[in-house]
Amino acid sequence: MSSPAVDFARANHTRFLEELKALLRIPSISTLPEHKKDVKAAADWLAAELKRIGMENVEVIATAGHPLVYADWLHAAGKPTSLCYGHYDVQPPDPLDEWKTPPFEPTERDGNLYARGAVDDKGQMLMHVKALESLFQAHNGKLPLNVRVILEGEEEVGGEQIAKFVREHGDRLKADFALVSDTEMFAPELPTLCVGLRGMIYTEIEARGAKTDLHSGMYGGAAPNPFVALAQIITQLKDPSGRILIPGFYDAIKAPSEDELKAWQTLPFDEEHYRTTEVGSSQLTGEPGFSVLERTWARPTLDVHGMPGGFTGAGAKTVIPAKAVAKVSMRLVPDMTPQQAFTQYKSYVESLKPKGIELDVRLIHSGDAIVVGTDNRYIEAAKDAMKDVWGRDTVFVRGGGSIPIVGDFERHLKIPTVMMGFGLPDDNLHAPNEKFHIANYYRGIESIIVFFEKLGSA
Amino acid sequence: MSSPAVDFARANHTRFLEELKALLRIPSISTLPEHKKDVKAAADWLAAELKRIGMENVEVIATAGHPLVYADWLHAAGKPTSLCYGHYDVQPPDPLDEWKTPPFEPTERDGNLYARGAVDDKGQMLMHVKALESLFQAHNGKLPLNVRVILEGEEEVGGEQIAKFVREHGDRLKADFALVSDTEMFAPELPTLCVGLRGMIYTEIEARGAKTDLHSGMYGGAAPNPFVALAQIITQLKDPSGRILIPGFYDAIKAPSEDELKAWQTLPFDEEHYRTTEVGSSQLTGEPGFSVLERTWARPTLDVHGMPGGFTGAGAKTVIPAKAVAKVSMRLVPDMTPQQAFTQYKSYVESLKPKGIELDVRLIHSGDAIVVGTDNRYIEAAKDAMKDVWGRDTVFVRGGGSIPIVGDFERHLKIPTVMMGFGLPDDNLHAPNEKFHIANYYRGIESIIVFFEKLGSA
């Protein structure tokens, strides 16, 4: 596979990688207020880069939260318009002591680039920019199609500001399809398009007992314990087999089609290999009667992420804390809605209130589940482009994660999204030692170049 | 009530209080390694003070942990010997933001002195020293009885070093009785001797699932969740009514005598007043069929103190943590033993192991439950001395907390302990805004002076 733009990209591998490293050095952790300036610095870095490569109307758009970055190039009359989306914020790096090299000092090791955000999503987002740069360079300062770029800085904390922008300024994002690279390949060397995502609700349950922290010697046996209360509630949310016990929770589920389920069975997937290499636990868990792919792509799930409160230091402090919190999220599948799921969950949790405990059940953020139709020219072109670059048939999969913006594009802009991602299953997203396979960064850039050239020449 | 020593103490109120403040300013938090120097500084401060007032053979004894402080004065031939015990280490002050004034800047407010350690145990420990100083001053540099002082710096983390010292160097602590002031009065103005304490085991359950932290979108539905596992285990440790479900856990319990139970019924105690003023929860909890005093003094209980692991920051991080920990302690009553209780607990917890989870059940520290006989001359003298100073009959109570050293004194030194404490029920031990009622500091000093003078003149 070759074209002048692909040749340009290949000739610039080293520089493209160094530019990604520069972006990864900015600790743009959107959930931590002390990193607000870093998030802004990442936005400014990207705006400067978009301007440098030839994009127009570049703007860092201030919001009530972290800024958006917008740019466009709209001079390909009669050609389709792509809306390129990415996010430049990252998850917190904790637990820090489990990183082999510092999370914000990108380090090459065994063909991979290790850093927080390497694949989620700075590396994948920058593939778009580098593809555009290569196309500008190879097409005499022009692009083969129209492009708008919109980047956000709070995907990891719910993406509230971009959702608002999409709702209120749809005219500024007018396009024929969106391109999102925030997903992964099903297996190394296997070109993959993601055509479905789970939605989510992320919640907190706060349990309050005594008015102040109490000594467990003096008050143990009389004062309610918020951790015990939360444990009782969590245990009633999901049975030991993994089935969620919230009344009505499964009612709205639309199962995958027979064809889709059949296609999943042909994917190169071995549960035992997945267990040992990716999860590493003694057994896998989850609802009985469903395969791992069904459980992680097409079934709702419930997880607890942390339980702040009380004493968490080394050693012993014999406190009955006045309050404790459980961070609980649920993944949703079509046609469940976050609104309905949260209503069912909240009312069920409140019905479980243990003796002497007051509860506060809060929704922190949410996103819709989505399924993209595969019968449109953009998905077709993407499929063909990936096949050209990777030399193998492209497979369609779903993702277990949530990219709420894809639902917003569908709902408010009425456009389909091409989810063309180049992460690998062992990339450690949201975990210590996150990485991006460097060869995938390069071939991702090529895939996008070819995809855009196909759409521009049709 | 008056004597030259009491008069001296009264004339020195202001200085005695300022000296306590100086000691409280040292953040001697034994559980936090970064405060190791502060713990040592508190030991040195006390050694200097003991030397200054006239004690002999003053020594800061290095140990594998925090130091012990020893001193004696043994020239009252034919008189009994008191072993005065106290601890100069304190609990961590967190949650810091709930303190009205800084925990290590002692502040007077409404007749109380607010600071971490004010009552537990620096204030009560210093009462001994100030009583001894007053006696030396009023008795021409002599004491009316023999005194050994032993102070430790790791009571809040299990007291391992002093336990070892008592086991191995019992000859250096030879005495007729021990005096411990680390308990509270049953009610304001009600002189109280504590004649029973609960024991305890403090444990950690570590639950491990996946080999690394995983993204709950990608792995939710397949990877085991350590927090959900811990919730399931905790829920099976204690039923919703508060009854502990560990097999055999209640078997060794020796109930209080009919007389003791009757005496408790005459104590000024109102459950509803206790609920609203001390606990502040909407309801009290605990085993059905037992009064609050029975539940907190004479029944074993189980509490969860914290659940470190995962994401505990603000906002949302969608992690399935590789591991999580529950800090769980149990209070024990006569004749349960820590060894037996931990064995029963560990084996039961391990039997509850959820699918895909590995468990590690650790004992962090433990202490025996004890009951002191009330028919000895030391308890008699203490009872009379308190009646003299407070003008009311002294009551006998038990405590729900644990002072493991009292069991060690009984077992290895074969001596009874007089637990004469002057804390109040609302002193916020181990919690934000710990305080000591200043009048009780002064009257505690007087009570000890009179107690020692009674024993010396008998």
Side-chain angles (χ1 to χ4, degrees), chain A residues 31 91-92 94-95 98 116 156-157 184 198 200 202 204 209-225 227-228 230-232 234-235 238-240 274 276-287 292 295-296 301-321 323 327 329 331 355-358 364-365 400-401 425 428-432, chain B residues 31 91-92 94-95 98 116 156-157 184 198 200 202 204 209-225 227-228 230-232 234-235 238-240 274 276-287 292 295-296 301-321 323 327 329 331 355-358 364-365 400-401 425 428-432:
Chain A
T31 199
Q91 285 272 325
D94 46 308
E98 293 184 16
R116 169 59 83 229
E156 302 293 4
V157 289
E184 65 179 32
R198 291 198 288 190
M200 81 165 326
Y202 196 106
E204 286 181 351
K211 65 182 171 179
T212 182
D213 287 2
L214 295 175
H215 187 296
S216 69
M218 296 170 65
Y219 295 95
N225 187 308
F227 279 114
V228 173
L230 290 172
Q232 290 168 349
I234 290 164
T235 300
K238 193 157 91 162
D239 75 16
Y274 168 88
T276 54
T277 59
E278 290 193 49
V279 178
S281 59
S282 60
Q283 292 178 79
L284 295 176
T285 56
E287 271 182 291
V292 165
R295 298 206 299 273
T296 56
T301 50
L302 182 146
D303 271 294
V304 179
H305 308 292
M307 295 183 68
F311 181 66
T312 55
K317 182 168 146 72
T318 53
V319 64
I320 301 178
K323 68 178 183 188
K327 289 174 172 274
S329 82
R331 300 285 163 174
K355 191 174 172 188
I357 293 287
E358 304 304 313
I364 305 299
H365 73 76
N428 297 325
L429 268 77
H430 291 208
Chain B
T31 199
Q91 284 273 325
D94 45 305
E98 293 183 18
R116 170 58 85 230
E156 302 293 4
V157 290
E184 65 178 32
R198 292 198 286 190
M200 79 164 327
Y202 196 106
E204 286 181 351
K211 64 181 170 179
T212 182
D213 287 1
L214 296 175
H215 186 296
S216 69
M218 296 169 66
Y219 295 94
N225 186 309
F227 279 113
V228 173
L230 289 173
Q232 290 167 351
I234 291 164
T235 300
K238 191 157 92 161
D239 76 15
Y274 169 87
T276 54
T277 59
E278 289 194 50
V279 178
S281 59
S282 60
Q283 291 179 78
L284 296 177
T285 55
E287 270 185 291
V292 165
R295 299 205 300 273
T296 56
T301 49
L302 182 148
D303 271 293
V304 179
H305 308 291
M307 296 184 69
F311 182 68
T312 54
K317 182 167 145 71
T318 53
V319 64
I320 300 178
K323 68 177 183 188
K327 289 174 173 274
S329 83
R331 299 285 162 172
K355 191 174 173 188
I357 293 287
E358 303 306 313
I364 305 299
H365 73 76
N428 298 321
L429 267 77
H430 292 208

